[in-house]
């Protein structure tokens, strides 16, 4: 935890932000460096601001620590990483300790709004526990300034959950890929708790959502490869949801980067969404929150399954283990004419909320150069992974 300035001064900085990124429904890669930078903020657990105490910090920090420390951390990350998109992956507020859900969300998302950086949010399992339903929370979020969040796809009225949508990131303006989405972002509501009496525990991504994902992925692949110069493989995709999939339990310290300090709190049944992503073939990494003191990334069947690590100070954590955020940066390849082409690589790292915003665990999640080699290896060497069984339910 590090707060060198008062929150008031930091908020003034954000209002007078140096960033001049205007809100737009069209996301694009940066022309200068060919990058698209995504900041993931997981589990803020925002309550009522300065009156809401912190959890699991050192005794000397406790008396001065509140939700405002979470706000400070968001501001510092925006200043340090200059993201093109901020993604809030659920439990953005902690409903039980938020007297007014709308006001808590306004405060929680204030740094993103004031920065004029586009942002997107999905629901966790605690957001609806205050004065708004899950639908109400998402509707309020969709109506906020600078957000690209959506309630649901309009053409699938019966889809489960709230906050299922996708965003397209287009190529450099003026390039051959200017009108194509070269990076696809999928956002899904992983639910809160099971509503099926015979199935205990947390919610899951339902069949209707998977149908939407499959259809959207297929449409995006067709649009990308149609009338293109040799684009045979689909544009890479990233998926964001709150509750980790059961497949996160496949990893241990020998095959991931980061730490696993608690159990994998997934649904008690496997609805098959991991299999659905494998079959689609475009998703290169998926990002979750929920388990605050896990922050690892591991690769299974060519998909990286990643945690962000706990961000918020009113969320449970581990004293002496810094709150953290995850960055993902997609980079375009240089063309022979000195311009920019398709996505060449996707990297990630984490930043700690310490004095220096220390960067840790930098890794390459995917690269165009190694994609062919990985596919060949999969058929020959990844047979040791147990097959993933699909038990899709409409419940």
């Amino acid at each position: 935890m590090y707060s060198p300035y008062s929150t008031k001064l930091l908020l003034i900085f954000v209002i007078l932000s140096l960033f001049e990124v205007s809100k737009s429904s069209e996301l694009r890669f940066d022309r200068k460096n060919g990058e698209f930078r995504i900041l993931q903020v997981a589990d803020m657990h925002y309550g009522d601001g300065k009156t809401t105490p912190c959890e699991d910090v050192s005794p000397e920090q406790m008396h001065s620590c509140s939700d405002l420390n979470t706000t400070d951390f968001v501001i510092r990350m925006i200043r340090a990483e200059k993201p093109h998109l901020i993604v809030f992956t659920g439990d953005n507020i902690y409903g039980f300790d938020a007297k007014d859900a709308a006001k808590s969300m306004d405060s929680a998302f204030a740094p993103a709004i004031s920065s004029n950086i586009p942002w997107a949010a999905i629901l966790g399992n605690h957001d609806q526990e205050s004065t708004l339903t899950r639908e109400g929370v998402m509707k309020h979020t969709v109506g906020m300034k600078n957000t690209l969040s959506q309630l649901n796809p309009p053409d699938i009225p019966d889809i489960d959950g709230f906050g299922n949508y996708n965003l397209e990131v287009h190529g450099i303006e003026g390039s051959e890929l200017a009108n194509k989405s070269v990076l696809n972002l999928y956002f899904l509501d992983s639910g809160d708790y099971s509503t099926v009496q015979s199935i205990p525990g947390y919610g899951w991504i339902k069949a209707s959502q998977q149908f939407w994902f499959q259809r959207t992925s297929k449409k995006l692949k067709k649009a990308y490869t149609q009338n293109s110069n040799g684009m045979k493989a689909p544009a890479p995709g990233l998926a964001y949801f709150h509750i980790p999939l059961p497949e996160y339990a496949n990893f241990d310290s020998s095959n991931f980067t980061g730490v696993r300090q608690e159990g994998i709190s997934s649904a008690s049944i496997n609805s098959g969404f991991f299999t659905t992503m494998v079959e689609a073939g475009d998703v290169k990494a998926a990002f979750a929150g929920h388990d605050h003191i896990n922050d690892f990334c591991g690769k299974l069947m060519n998909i990286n399954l990643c945690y962000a690590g706990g961000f918020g100070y009113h969320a449970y954590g581990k004293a002496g283990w810094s709150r953290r955020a995850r960055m993902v940066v997609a980079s375009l390849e240089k063309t022979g004419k000195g311009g920019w082409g398709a996505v060449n690589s996707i990297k990630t790292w984490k930043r700690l909320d310490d004095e220096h915003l220390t960067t840790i665990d930098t890794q390459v999640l995917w690269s165009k150069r190694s994609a062919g080699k990985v596919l060949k290896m999969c058929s020959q060497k990844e047979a040791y992974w147990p097959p993933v069984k699909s038990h899709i339910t409409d419940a």
Side-chain angles (χ1 to χ4, degrees):
M1 180 176 69
Y2 184 71
S3 298
Y5 310 111
S6 72
T7 301
K8 183 176 180 181
L9 289 175
L10 283 168
L11 288 175
I12 290 172
F13 167 82
V14 173
I15 293 170
L16 300 176
S17 177
L18 295 175
F19 308 111
E20 297 178 354
V21 180
S22 61
K23 180 188 177 183
S24 172
S25 59
E26 187 176 80
L27 299 172
R28 283 193 182 277
F29 276 74
D30 190 302
R31 177 185 293 276
K32 293 181 181 178
N33 55 21
E35 289 184 347
F36 191 80
R37 307 172 66 85
I38 303 172
L39 165 62
Q40 181 188 359
V41 176
D43 297 273
M44 286 193 294
H45 277 233
Y46 206 92
D48 287 331
K50 64 182 179 181
T51 62
T52 302
C54 295
E55 300 285 342
D56 297 323
V57 295
S58 64
E60 59 269 22
Q61 294 170 332
M62 184 64 74
H63 74 282
S64 60
C65 189
S66 72
D67 278 337
L68 301 188
N69 291 81
T70 301
T71 297
D72 290 348
F73 188 20
V74 178
I75 293 167
R76 297 180 71 216
M77 283 300 302
I78 291 172
R79 292 180 64 184
E81 290 287 3
K82 299 178 176 60
H84 300 108
L85 178 70
I86 305 168
V87 176
F88 297 93
T89 51
D91 283 2
N92 305 308
I93 63 171
Y94 187 65
F96 288 127
D97 292 334
K99 296 184 180 70
D100 184 310
K103 288 183 178 178
S104 291
M105 283 190 284
D106 292 346
S107 297
F109 297 134
I113 293 169
S114 297
S115 71
N116 285 323
I117 296 171
W119 59 279
I122 52 177
L123 298 175
N125 56 294
H126 289 302
D127 296 284
Q128 77 288 343
E129 293 168 340
S130 178
T131 55
L132 291 173
T133 63
R134 290 181 73 78
E135 182 177 10
V137 169
M138 204 64 211
K139 281 184 174 179
H140 183 80
T141 302
V142 169
M144 299 176 81
K145 183 183 177 184
N146 292 343
T147 190
L148 301 180
S149 307
Q150 300 170 33
L151 183 63
N152 267 330
D155 56 338
I156 307 182
D158 296 328
I159 192 169
D160 287 280
F162 302 98
N164 302 288
Y165 58 101
N166 69 289
L167 296 175
E168 301 178 9
V169 186
H170 289 78
I172 300 292
E173 197 164 2
S175 71
E176 292 182 356
L177 296 173
N179 297 319
K180 290 184 179 289
S181 178
V182 298
L183 179 68
N184 297 310
L185 309 178
Y186 301 98
F187 302 87
L188 298 104
D189 180 6
S190 54
D192 51 1
Y193 303 96
S194 172
T195 57
V196 181
Q197 190 173 2
S198 59
I199 303 176
Y202 293 109
W204 56 88
I205 296 171
K206 308 289 181 62
S208 63
Q209 298 167 278
Q210 297 186 48
F211 169 76
W212 163 79
F213 166 81
Q214 289 171 317
R215 195 175 73 169
T216 303
S217 173
K218 185 176 180 180
K219 180 186 70 174
L220 290 168
K221 283 186 280 189
K222 183 178 180 181
Y224 184 68
T225 56
Q226 213 168 35
N227 302 321
S228 63
N229 296 328
M231 296 296 180
K232 296 180 180 180
L238 306 174
Y240 290 90
F241 42 82
H242 180 72
I243 297 174
L245 303 176
E247 285 77 10
Y248 275 69
N250 279 281
F251 304 108
D252 58 38
S253 58
S254 69
N255 57 9
F256 65 59
T257 300
V259 297
R260 175 177 173 177
Q261 302 178 111
E262 61 178 311
I264 309 301
S265 300
S266 59
S268 60
I269 56 102
N270 191 332
S271 70
F273 184 57
F274 180 78
T275 303
T276 298
M277 289 193 295
V278 172
E279 291 173 343
D282 59 337
V283 173
K284 307 307 177 188
F287 303 91
H290 193 55
D291 299 329
H292 305 175
I293 56 175
N294 291 340
D295 73 350
F296 66 79
C297 272
K299 183 179 285 188
L300 177 64
M301 298 181 185
N302 296 326
I303 297 178
N304 293 274
L305 299 178
C306 300
Y307 280 107
F311 190 102
Y313 279 89
H314 186 51
Y316 78 83
K318 184 178 179 182
W321 193 73
S322 298
R323 264 59 175 189
R324 57 203 58 209
R326 181 172 290 281
M327 285 296 302
V328 173
V329 177
S331 301
L332 300 179
E333 62 183 354
K334 276 280 191 180
T335 65
K337 300 177 182 179
W340 297 105
V343 174
N344 185 56
S345 68
I346 302 172
K347 299 179 181 180
T348 188
W349 57 84
K350 299 183 291 278
R351 297 287 287 259
L352 308 183
D353 190 22
D354 57 18
E355 183 178 359
H356 303 290
L357 283 177
T358 302
T359 299
I360 63 169
D361 295 339
T362 300
Q363 61 186 119
V364 177
L365 297 177
W366 176 85
S367 69
K368 189 175 181 180
R369 178 179 299 178
S370 63
K373 296 178 182 178
V374 171
L375 286 173
K376 186 176 181 180
M377 287 173 61
C378 280
S379 61
Q380 297 175 347
K381 296 183 179 180
E382 286 197 348
Y384 63 83
W385 286 110
V388 181
K389 296 181 181 179
S390 174
H391 302 292
I392 299 179
T393 175
D394 283 304

